[in-house]
Amino acid sequence: MDVLQVHVTTAGPFSKRGTYRVSVVLYEGYQPVESAPGVQVCASTGKRLVTPPGTTAGGAGATQAGEDVSDSTAAGAASSPGVARFNETLSLKGVRLASSTQLVFELYMAKPGLAGLPTKEVLVAWTVAPLLQNGQVFPGQQSMPLFRLPLMLTAQRKFTFDHALLDFKLAQYRGAPGDVELAAGASAAAGGGAGVGAGVGLEDIPGVPSEAWVRVQRGVPPADPYTPGDGFVVTVDGGRFLPCSVTITKVIGSVWSSNGALLAGPFEGVALPDSDVHNPSYSCTATLGSSQNGTRFEDPTATLMLQVSSTATRMHLDR
């Protein structure tokens, strides 16, 4: 699973006074990525009070009731007229990033209400940024222009919103989403501050270098739905970081149902003689679920199981 950290720095300058916040949403192509359990595809910053040049921060309705706008935020708005300073890191996790994945920023605003009464927050601007370049997230500080509505990624012509810019940084981690805190701590220890920017290239498993991971890119999955009888191909390229006690290994694959019935397989592949013992190459391929080879199955609980077997050194036991 990929964990994408978005550090939103500033946005502006804006010509209208009010509270602003930025929401980030992952898009696959031109459609928002669907959320699922354990997957976070959108996040939002806190609200910031913005006072454009020539206006005052005092007076009725300066801060709306129920708004989470701190004194330091108000002070920051006074020191940088028209600019919203967020300095917040947002995390999106559980989604494999691809060359077609885009990050959409949505800017929301609420105008000051009369007598301190809150007003409705509305979407006022947006921008979009590509994520990957040569399989890695774009490094360093980025500035993107904010556009006026409507939010149309396919629009040939876009108009700027207040000639404002959005500044942000990106950092990517691969592995279990629950290990993000470890990665952020490792990045901070390396001099990355809040774990943004310097975190690019680090991994979220301490002690495992970035070079140990296989970098892959994928395109958009085919739109045609899978139908029983089409079949699919399972390919096991190899193993990585096997225990130091192994000798020659082989991988055995099979497909089982939830009630323990064997649906397909077994198929196996032995490690190639010229491959590393601890990082073997199997080059094992099997076509499953095809009516042509007699392994067609329609059980929705079908689960692929891969087992690695080896003879341990000095023990002569198959494991």
Side-chain angles (χ1 to χ4, degrees):
M1 294 290 184
D2 286 346
V3 179
L4 177 68
Q5 288 192 338
V6 184
H7 184 74
V8 182
T9 310
T10 60
F14 302 121
S15 61
K16 294 183 179 179
R17 187 169 178 277
T19 55
Y20 292 80
R21 72 174 176 91
V22 174
S23 176
V24 295
V25 184
L26 281 175
Y27 274 60
E28 186 68 37
Y30 300 115
Q31 298 294 328
V33 177
E34 294 185 0
S35 182
V39 177
Q40 184 175 353
V41 297
C42 61
S44 178
T45 66
K47 298 176 182 179
R48 297 295 185 270
L49 177 63
V50 173
T51 303
T55 61
T56 59
T63 303
Q64 302 176 34
E67 298 290 354
D68 182 17
V69 181
S70 63
D71 295 337
S72 60
T73 300
S79 62
S80 304
V83 177
R85 296 190 175 277
F86 296 101
N87 289 323
E88 289 189 39
T89 300
L90 309 176
S91 294
L92 307 177
K93 58 186 179 181
V95 178
R96 287 294 184 186
L97 304 181
S99 57
S100 57
T101 308
Q102 301 184 88
L103 190 63
V104 173
F105 297 84
E106 300 174 344
L107 179 69
Y108 290 85
M109 174 199 174
K111 298 180 180 179
L114 297 176
L117 295 176
T119 61
K120 184 178 180 180
E121 189 181 55
V122 295
L123 175 65
V124 294
W126 65 281
T127 191
V128 61
L131 287 179
L132 299 184
Q133 181 183 41
N134 298 325
Q136 302 290 333
V137 296
F138 283 87
Q141 182 82 15
Q142 300 185 54
S143 295
M144 299 295 294
L146 289 167
F147 303 114
R148 286 186 284 174
L149 300 180
L151 198 165
M152 294 181 59
L153 302 185
T154 57
Q156 297 294 325
R157 204 174 168 192
K158 305 179 183 70
F159 299 92
T160 61
F161 177 81
D162 270 357
H163 299 285
L165 296 176
L166 177 70
D167 299 330
F168 61 94
K169 295 179 182 178
L170 299 177
Q172 180 188 11
Y173 304 98
R174 288 186 171 92
D179 295 331
V180 180
E181 293 79 10
L182 297 177
S187 177
V196 179
V200 177
L202 296 178
E203 295 298 338
D204 52 3
I205 299 181
V208 180
S210 175
E211 294 75 13
W213 299 87
V214 178
R215 308 295 176 180
V216 296
Q217 284 185 321
R218 65 170 178 82
V220 178
D224 297 334
Y226 172 80
T227 57
D230 288 347
F232 53 91
V233 176
V234 177
T235 300
V236 184
D237 296 319
R240 294 170 64 81
F241 309 114
L242 297 185
C244 59
S245 60
V246 302
T247 53
I248 188 170
T249 59
K250 71 175 179 180
V251 60
I252 304 174
S254 54
V255 179
W256 299 81
S257 67
S258 60
N259 59 6
L262 179 64
L263 301 179
F267 58 91
E268 63 180 48
V270 180
L272 300 181
D274 57 349
S275 63
D276 190 330
V277 171
H278 303 119
N279 299 276
S281 298
Y282 298 114
S283 297
C284 174
T285 301
T287 302
L288 306 176
S290 174
S291 56
Q292 282 76 17
N293 60 10
T295 61
R296 177 175 177 175
F297 52 88
E298 302 177 4
D299 194 314
T301 67
T303 302
L304 175 66
M305 184 180 72
L306 296 176
Q307 174 185 352
V308 176
S309 177
S310 174
T311 300
T313 58
R314 297 187 300 274
M315 296 181 65
H316 306 288
L317 296 175
D318 288 334
R319 294 190 172 183

